[in-house]
Amino acid sequence: MNTDVEFHIRQNYPWNKLPANVKQSLGNSQREYEKYVLLYSIRHQLRFRNNLVRHVRKDERKYYEELLKYSRDHLMLYPYHLSDIMVKGLRVTPFSYYIGIMEDIMNSEKSYDSLPNFTAADCLRLLGIGRNQYIDLMNQCRSSKKFFRRKSARDLLPAKPVEISVEPWWVAQTGYITEDDIRICSTAEKKAIDKMIDSGPQLAGSMEYNVVLSLYNRGFIYLDVPISDDSCISVPPLEGFVMNRVQGDYFETLLYKIFVSIDEQTNVAELANVLEIDLDLVKNAVSMYCRLGFAVKKGTVFNSEQLHPTWKNAPSVNRLKSTMDPQKMLLSWEQGSPVMEGGSSATDTDTTSLEDQADTASVSSLSIPAAPTKRIAFLFDSTLTAFLMMGNLSPNLKSHAVTMFEVGKLSDETLDSFLAELEKVESTAEGEAQRYFDHALTLKNTILFLRYNKELTQDQGPDIPNIGFPLDMLRCESLLGLDQATCSRVLNKNYKLLVSMAPLSNEIRPISSCTPQHIGPAIPEVSSIWFKLYLYHVTGQGPPSLLLSKGSRLRKLPDIFQVYDRLLITSWGHDPGVVPTSNVLTMLNDALTHSAVLIQGHGMHGHGETVHIPFPFDEEDLKAEFSYSNMCTHKSLQKLKEHVDLKHQCGYITMLNANNRHRRRPSDSTECRGDTHLGGGLDTNGSTESFELVTEENNGDGSKVKTDTLNAEDEWVPLELCFGMPLFSSELNRKVCRKIASHKLCCNESLQELLHSSRKLSLKVLSFVQSFQDTVQPSDMDTGVSNPLSQPPAESGVPLPALNLLFKDGQLKEWSGRAPPPLDISALQKDQPT
């Protein structure tokens, strides 16, 4: 559907008030517009009244039946915001709705994974059917078909809801109740129903707890979860979340957008304003979080006189409350009790008066003079969450990892429990699992360094107590779910500084941010293959590199790579890997059919050796001479400092020695070693410690060899530069943390310099990329490479290469494939003409 058409439907524009260009896009057909209005309204589960659809469809009941059928067919969440219509009018309760969905997917013999995440979580809450239960039901259903006594899926599904958790501030409303229903009710139940009929909706906490559950299980009442304009919520680590699949419907998309944007200090009205989303939609989403137990409404105070005695032992919606100190979930208030009069905004059903009673506290009106208003955001990608989910690192760490992936955020309020779990991670493991353990431990150290670190905030001024900044952890992919303007508003509202992990995976687009300042890639191009070439271009040094555009085809491996035993291959938008030169041609040509590819020389005798140099550089190191342990004085890095600001950023530069003849450990010679290292996927990313060990091994009998081979400055060239905080090596991470503190990178003056230098670097890199994006010259048929295909726009927004580019002998230029690069005399004598 056209976005212009959607906008005008959302704004309730009738046909006669549509602009001419929108009418034209619909073929000037009013019938076509009305068809779109109906489709949009059903997809977005809009109420019939006060919306455009009432002029298109005259039969209200039929409209809601169509809406319900569409929602059920597409496995959407039950439309709780229409509960008054669904339960009272159509007699469809959430339980009967989800039973229908379960019956449909069982009869179709679909897997449990076909249920979208939130729908599966609600099914688990109401029906008690999770993955294992569903598999068991399907086995029973299939086995019954083999005998004459066949059981239908409906016979195997539960007859009533499991016992759900209800909060006392929820509102009970009467559903569709007949005289026959009243006859089977107990005296207490009849009394409760009479009160709701006579006095209107009641707070669940004012009624007997067992009566509420009993009436709900029979479908005689439904429960509203009221959210007012000034309601604030907190999101603890997820419990009961089901990781199946993402559906992409309007409400699910909204739920994920709000998940990553919400915080405990921002009320619902402010959040709707920042996201520029309709307030009622945001309330519906927040209400759904609270209903599913994924969020806790803050400041909801219930008087003991108002609360029915039977609620004292009632289970809470938030299953985590029993395992966590509630004080850790809330801010510590220094001034009095945070109680004030509640908001007065009506939800879809008329519960205004009740909300005034229920929502008796609001966080938004309170100021906290001791605490800073803004935070530091640590940006990570999904690779980190995958590492934390794997390897059984600690008993309760998985719920935090699921929260990091699904919510896209761990707020400062939940970091205490997260750190407690990271503390339980052991420091040693076997084989590949060691990497998962290392990342967990390095992440713990990073959080402890960035969070409430007084060293980072020494220039706050005399009036503000220096306690450091709180820290939130944000997943890049979740932020990218927001449009750019919204993402910028969310970040600017809540954060003073962004810090990225390094390296971020090539498969994602990094967050671009001038304000708040970003210690990390300034723009996506800085985290792409283009930046590697820029690095080689400005320093005049780097490994031999050939960037081939998509659709190119090699007849033979270029001569410049023939002397190498290992090549570093990077497909566009994917992480690099070190591969043997033998038989690489087939793999390259296969990759070139769907992607641009960068080929680089890595090692002449097995893997090349790499060393990571943290920056900013210390003054005393710059005064010393070049050595294996002090490479920051390398001539290429001295040139690099003139073009890239290494003083106000942090990160590391990877140096490569391809001519690596000294003895290595057997594990270092594995061909595919390190292909899946965090973020970079590069063999070099996990190998800092192993090279230190190699040096120690050679101290005895190989010290002369080490001096000759490792200290030769000319043998080392820059391979890549990564901005941010590395997590793959604890030693490198420790050095970067020390440099951030000693160079005062988080002080206001340094951040202001970072702002200017990031903008300058962005312009330089974009100009560099543009200079190599000229029209492709037609290639000669006799060349070693065929014509590239036309380039589609890159999904990530980083332009794809239009030319084949070669970096060799300090120069980056177009490569046509006609003439092989010149080789030295000895190499020429060995090669035969082809």
Side-chain angles (χ1 to χ4, degrees):
M1 194 184 296
N2 189 316
T3 50
D4 284 340
V5 175
E6 279 198 6
F7 171 79
H8 288 92
I9 293 172
R10 199 162 52 244
Q11 299 298 322
N12 284 332
Y13 274 67
W15 172 256
N16 56 8
K17 289 189 178 177
L18 282 183
N21 64 319
V22 177
K23 285 185 178 180
Q24 196 172 357
S25 70
L26 294 164
N28 290 311
S29 167
Q30 183 174 349
R31 186 183 293 272
E32 191 72 12
Y33 183 57
E34 289 178 353
K35 191 167 78 176
Y36 279 132
V37 169
L38 179 63
L39 182 61
Y40 180 86
S41 303
I42 287 174
R43 279 181 179 172
H44 288 73
Q45 298 177 326
L46 296 184
R47 191 172 282 275
F48 186 83
R49 292 174 190 171
N50 303 324
N51 277 301
L52 197 57
V53 71
R54 72 187 186 279
H55 301 301
V56 175
R57 267 289 154 93
K58 301 303 177 191
D59 189 337
E60 184 175 352
R61 184 182 182 87
K62 193 174 178 186
Y63 165 73
Y64 282 121
E65 284 172 351
E66 284 183 49
L67 185 153
L68 204 58
K69 183 179 183 306
Y70 180 90
S71 299
R72 179 171 156 173
D73 290 346
H74 289 80
L75 311 177
M76 292 169 70
L77 278 163
Y78 180 82
Y80 285 102
H81 60 288
L82 303 176
S83 288
D84 55 330
I85 303 292
M86 295 298 158
V87 180
K88 287 182 180 175
L90 301 181
R91 300 202 72 178
V92 178
T93 63
F95 174 76
S96 61
Y97 174 80
Y98 289 125
I99 285 289
I101 282 181
M102 277 293 175
E103 193 177 352
D104 290 345
I105 66 170
M106 285 176 73
N107 288 335
S108 306
E109 298 203 355
K110 291 181 179 175
S111 73
Y112 183 73
D113 291 330
S114 62
L115 281 175
N117 295 343
F118 287 101
T119 305
D122 210 14
C123 284
L124 178 61
R125 181 181 73 96
L126 289 172
L127 312 184
I129 299 176
R131 190 179 306 278
N132 294 341
Q133 293 84 355
Y134 182 80
I135 292 169
D136 188 41
L137 286 171
M138 286 302 296
N139 289 338
Q140 289 180 48
C141 198
R142 289 183 185 121
S143 63
S144 70
K145 291 178 184 178
K146 297 175 184 176
F147 304 100
F148 293 108
R149 296 171 304 169
R150 174 175 175 152
K151 284 187 177 180
S152 68
R154 186 68 189 86
D155 295 335
L156 295 168
L157 291 167
K160 62 176 186 177
V162 296
E163 186 174 324
I164 64 163
S165 297
V166 180
E167 288 288 326
W169 54 273
W170 292 8
V171 175
Q173 307 236 29
T174 52
Y176 190 100
I177 306 174
T178 63
E179 288 184 11
D180 292 338
D181 295 333
I182 293 290
R183 287 194 193 101
I184 59 171
C185 289
S186 67
T187 309
E189 290 168 349
K190 285 178 186 173
K191 192 176 175 184
I193 290 170
D194 288 343
K195 189 171 183 183
M196 281 186 277
I197 291 172
D198 296 340
S199 307
Q202 299 293 311
L203 285 168
S206 66
M207 301 161 66
E208 194 177 329
Y209 179 71
N210 290 330
V211 168
V212 172
L213 285 187
S214 172
L215 291 174
Y216 181 81
N217 286 345
R218 292 189 206 168
F220 296 167
I221 64 168
Y222 63 92
L223 296 165
D224 266 337
V225 181
I227 300 295
S228 61
D229 288 14
D230 62 352
S231 295
C232 291
I233 67 164
S234 64
V235 181
L238 293 182
E239 292 286 332
F241 194 88
V242 182
M243 294 179 73
N244 276 0
R245 71 180 181 94
V246 177
Q247 162 107 327
D249 64 72
Y250 89 99
F251 197 53
E252 181 188 66
T253 306
L254 178 68
L255 286 168
Y256 278 116
K257 278 185 180 179
I258 293 175
F259 248 159
V260 76
S261 310
I262 204 154
D263 62 79
E264 297 191 17
Q265 288 74 43
T266 304
N267 64 38
V268 171
E270 288 174 24
L271 183 67
N273 189 39
V274 169
L275 296 176
E276 293 185 352
I277 295 174
D278 182 68
L279 179 59
D280 286 334
L281 280 177
V282 176
K283 285 183 181 177
N284 291 344
V286 171
S287 174
M288 181 62 76
Y289 296 145
C290 295
R291 188 185 294 273
L292 295 176
F294 298 154
V296 182
K297 190 176 179 185
K298 291 188 65 177
T300 306
V301 179
F302 228 88
N303 295 332
S304 54
E305 301 135 15
Q306 197 179 10
L307 188 66
H308 197 279
T310 54
W311 280 82
K312 284 178 183 171
N313 298 320
S316 169
V317 168
N318 181 22
R319 305 164 188 80
L320 211 75
K321 277 187 180 175
S322 57
T323 58
M324 275 190 66
D325 178 4
Q327 293 305 315
K328 298 277 178 71
M329 304 286 294
L330 304 169
L331 291 167
S332 56
W333 307 105
E334 293 193 352
Q335 298 180 341
S337 171
V339 179
M340 61 165 284
E341 290 187 15
S344 57
S345 126
T347 53
D348 279 325
T349 48
D350 188 19
T351 58
T352 311
S353 59
L354 293 159
E355 247 172 68
D356 289 343
Q357 303 164 33
D359 195 16
T360 53
S362 170
V363 180
S364 59
S365 63
L366 297 169
S367 60
I368 314 165
T373 52
K374 293 200 174 184
R375 305 181 171 203
I376 295 174
F378 182 70
L379 306 178
F380 62 91
D381 62 29
S382 297
T383 327
L384 179 61
T385 60
F387 280 10
L388 295 177
M389 286 182 199
M390 297 164 88
N392 296 322
L393 301 179
S394 87
N396 298 316
L397 191 59
K398 190 173 180 182
S399 67
H400 290 280
V402 169
T403 308
M404 289 166 72
F405 184 81
E406 293 293 348
V407 176
K409 179 177 185 175
L410 269 189
S411 63
D412 185 78
E413 289 78 10
T414 58
L415 284 186
D416 285 326
S417 62
F418 183 51
L419 286 168
E421 290 304 321
L422 290 175
E423 283 285 351
K424 298 174 189 174
V425 176
E426 296 174 15
S427 57
T428 55
E430 294 181 2
E432 186 72 6
Q434 183 63 51
R435 285 174 56 224
Y436 310 147
F437 283 70
D438 288 345
H439 278 89
L441 294 169
T442 311
L443 176 63
K444 180 192 73 176
N445 295 335
T446 303
I447 293 170
L448 290 171
F449 172 75
L450 291 173
R451 188 179 183 227
Y452 295 113
N453 187 345
K454 295 179 184 179
E455 284 188 81
L456 305 183
T457 54
Q458 293 176 349
D459 60 344
Q460 287 300 297
D463 300 332
I464 305 170
N466 182 18
I467 60 168
F469 284 105
L471 179 73
D472 284 357
M473 295 178 64
L474 302 177
R475 186 171 76 103
C476 289
E477 294 93 327
S478 298
L479 286 173
L480 294 172
L482 305 171
D483 63 76
Q484 203 164 349
T486 304
C487 180
S488 179
R489 286 195 301 274
V490 169
L491 293 175
N492 276 293
K493 179 185 179 299
N494 295 322
Y495 302 107
K496 177 184 174 66
L497 175 66
L498 310 180
V499 182
S500 283
M501 65 173 259
L504 288 166
S505 170
N506 285 346
E507 297 183 16
I508 68 156
R509 178 187 172 95
I511 301 302
S512 302
S513 173
C514 283
T515 54
Q517 283 91 325
H518 182 193
I519 294 180
I523 52 173
E525 282 78 2
V526 172
S527 187
S528 72
I529 287 172
W530 285 116
F531 193 62
K532 269 191 173 183
L533 296 180
Y534 176 77
L535 186 69
Y536 309 153
H537 176 66
V538 297
T539 61
Q541 291 198 42
S545 304
L546 177 61
L547 178 60
L548 295 171
S549 54
K550 177 182 171 182
S552 304
R553 189 164 184 82
L554 290 173
R555 294 182 190 149
K556 67 169 189 171
L557 191 66
D559 293 334
I560 197 168
F561 299 119
Q562 297 286 358
V563 294
Y564 285 89
D565 184 42
R566 293 288 189 277
L567 298 177
L568 183 65
I569 307 295
T570 312
S571 293
W572 198 268
H574 293 83
D575 295 331
V578 178
V579 297
T581 306
S582 56
N583 300 323
V584 75
L585 196 59
T586 308
M587 189 204 79
L588 284 173
N589 281 329
D590 183 49
L592 284 165
T593 59
H594 54 77
S595 164
V597 175
L598 176 68
I599 311 166
Q600 295 180 283
H602 194 267
M604 294 182 179
H605 311 280
H607 284 255
E609 177 171 7
T610 54
V611 173
H612 304 298
I613 309 167
F615 63 84
F617 304 137
D618 296 328
E619 286 297 325
E620 56 268 25
D621 290 339
L622 290 171
K623 290 172 185 173
E625 290 187 1
F626 176 87
S627 68
Y628 179 72
S629 58
N630 183 35
M631 290 199 188
C632 61
T633 55
H634 193 280
K635 54 192 175 188
S636 64
L637 302 190
Q638 298 308 308
K639 281 186 188 174
L640 181 63
K641 287 196 300 180
E642 298 169 13
H643 299 273
V644 179
D645 179 12
L646 301 180
K647 283 186 179 179
H648 304 103
Q649 269 273 22
C650 76
Y652 63 92
I653 298 161
T654 305
M655 301 295 287
L656 171 69
N657 181 358
N659 191 22
N660 177 27
R661 293 190 179 87
H662 71 287
R663 179 161 59 88
R664 303 177 61 84
R665 301 186 305 174
S667 63
D668 288 351
S669 61
T670 309
E671 285 185 3
C672 58
R673 177 179 161 276
D675 282 358
T676 56
H677 271 291
L678 177 63
L682 171 61
D683 157 75
T684 55
N685 281 349
S687 50
T688 311
E689 292 168 11
S690 67
F691 290 122
E692 289 168 357
L693 290 173
V694 170
T695 308
E696 288 168 15
E697 286 173 3
N698 285 316
N699 276 348
D701 56 348
S703 57
K704 189 173 190 300
V705 177
K706 187 189 76 174
T707 306
D708 292 341
T709 58
L710 299 185
N711 290 354
E713 186 174 354
D714 293 339
E715 288 195 352
W716 293 91
V717 292
L719 178 64
E720 69 173 340
L721 185 156
C722 289
F723 294 111
M725 294 189 71
L727 296 184
F728 59 83
S729 162
S730 56
E731 180 61 22
L732 184 62
N733 176 270
R734 188 182 60 76
K735 288 178 181 175
V736 170
C737 288
R738 182 183 59 76
K739 287 173 181 287
I740 290 174
S742 63
H743 289 260
K744 299 181 179 177
L745 295 192
C746 297
C747 74
N748 292 328
E749 186 182 344
S750 178
L751 292 178
Q752 200 59 35
E753 291 292 334
L754 173 63
L755 177 65
H756 297 314
S757 64
S758 292
R759 284 176 172 161
K760 283 179 188 172
L761 179 64
S762 301
L763 291 172
K764 284 179 186 175
V765 174
L766 290 172
S767 173
F768 167 78
V769 173
Q770 188 58 42
S771 67
F772 288 102
Q773 286 296 98
D774 299 329
T775 309
V776 182
Q777 298 299 319
S779 300
D780 195 292
M781 290 305 289
D782 296 331
T783 64
V785 61
S786 59
N787 287 329
L789 300 173
S790 58
Q791 303 291 344
E795 287 182 1
S796 66
V798 177
L800 288 165
L803 306 171
N804 296 321
L805 301 174
L806 175 71
F807 178 80
K808 175 187 162 291
D809 297 333
Q811 288 190 315
L812 180 67
K813 51 192 175 187
E814 184 184 352
W815 185 71
S816 64
R818 282 194 184 90
L823 300 171
D824 58 58
I825 301 299
S826 60
L828 282 170
Q829 287 171 347
K830 290 176 189 173
D831 283 341
Q832 297 299 319
T834 55

